[in-house]
Amino acid sequence: MDPTSIAKLITKEADVTPTVLAAMADTDDPRLKEIMTSMVTHLHQFLLETRPTEAEFEYALRWIVEIGQFTNEFHNEVVLAADVVGASTLIDLINNDGMQGETMSALLGPFYRGDAPACANGECIARSETPGPSLFFSGKVVGADGAPIAGAALDVWQASPVGLYENQDETQEDCNLRGKFTSGADGRFHFQSVKPAGYPVPTGGPVGVLLRAQKRTPMRPAHIHFIVSAPGHKTLITQIFSDSPEALATDVVFGAKQQIVGDFRMHTQPHPDYPGATLPFYTCEYDFRLVEGTPVFPVPPISGKKS
Ligand code: BEZ
Ligand code: FE
């Protein structure tokens, strides 16, 4: 081989980035090439700026290995790690800017299962003893023009007020506080649950180590998750919040947005629309607005509950 045709070997810091980019230059997929070129360039810049020691580099690699080791079909530490560094919320905003008047979205989080039972309107999603005041949630699914969308699917899930999703808590029934509803001919839906409470994200793994080192709260403000979808419409992944301004502003995963704070009303007197409801109870009415598009569904980060 002609020795002049072989690129020079790396001899100094400044040689590394162009040499690695040259090695990737034949990538056929243009999007992969664009992403990897940018990723390598920014990664090298970050390393040159922060100049980690070898011990720090080993520690960082170990942390990433542990994120993988902590992940299984019941727990997703990878998604949690992306969430606490703001990556998931940034991806959400890049892809869902709300500029067409659609309901604002929010990150999916690591607790979506995808196999919640189908429910009739009005059903209660508390399937086992669940503390907390009753909540009657109702609303309408509408299109960009405000017209009701019949037959829209609403996949709903929330944590128990004890601070755990059912898949984290063996005392809760399988799929407690999860259900799939369908809007009626008038676009309306309604279901019963318990008023959500704030809860800490799981801190038993490498993400918890990071949060403690950064002296950060692990808390999420109280919320209910929704995936709202209908044929011919862009799927909406969102959360409806119910908490203090301070709790919303200190959400550990940066997911709270003002437009998706619900009007949770406390009722201390019997109400004819909710006969027999134990006092106090709460109501919340929220309308979801979808825009036209192709429905796309997220791959569930977990697939079930440990039995
Ligand atoms: C959640 O809302 O379920 C969630 C989101 C991000 C991290 C942990 C939990
Ligand atoms: Fe949640």
Side-chain angles (χ1 to χ4, degrees), residues 76 79-81 83-84 88 107-112 157-159 165 168 199-202 218 220-221 223 225 239 241 251-254:
N76 199 320
V79 171
L80 185 60
D83 294 344
V84 301
S88 304
L107 75 174
L108 180 72
F111 293 116
Y112 175 56
W157 69 105
Q158 70 176 88
Y165 282 85
Q168 302 173 283
Y199 62 84
V201 299
R220 291 225 62 209
H223 60 273
H225 296 260
Q239 306 175 23
F241 290 90
D251 182 356
V252 64
V253 296
F254 315 99

Side-chain angles (χ1 to χ4, degrees), residues 116-137:
C119 300
N121 272 303
E123 260 185 60
C124 183
I125 57 173
R127 303 173 194 283
S128 53
E129 192 60 41
T130 307
S134 292
L135 167 69
F136 297 89
F137 199 108

Side-chain angles (χ1 to χ4, degrees), residues 248-263:
L248 296 170
T250 55
D251 182 356
V252 64
V253 296
F254 315 99
K257 297 174 184 142
Q258 199 56 49
Q259 299 94 326
I260 44 176
V261 175
D263 181 13

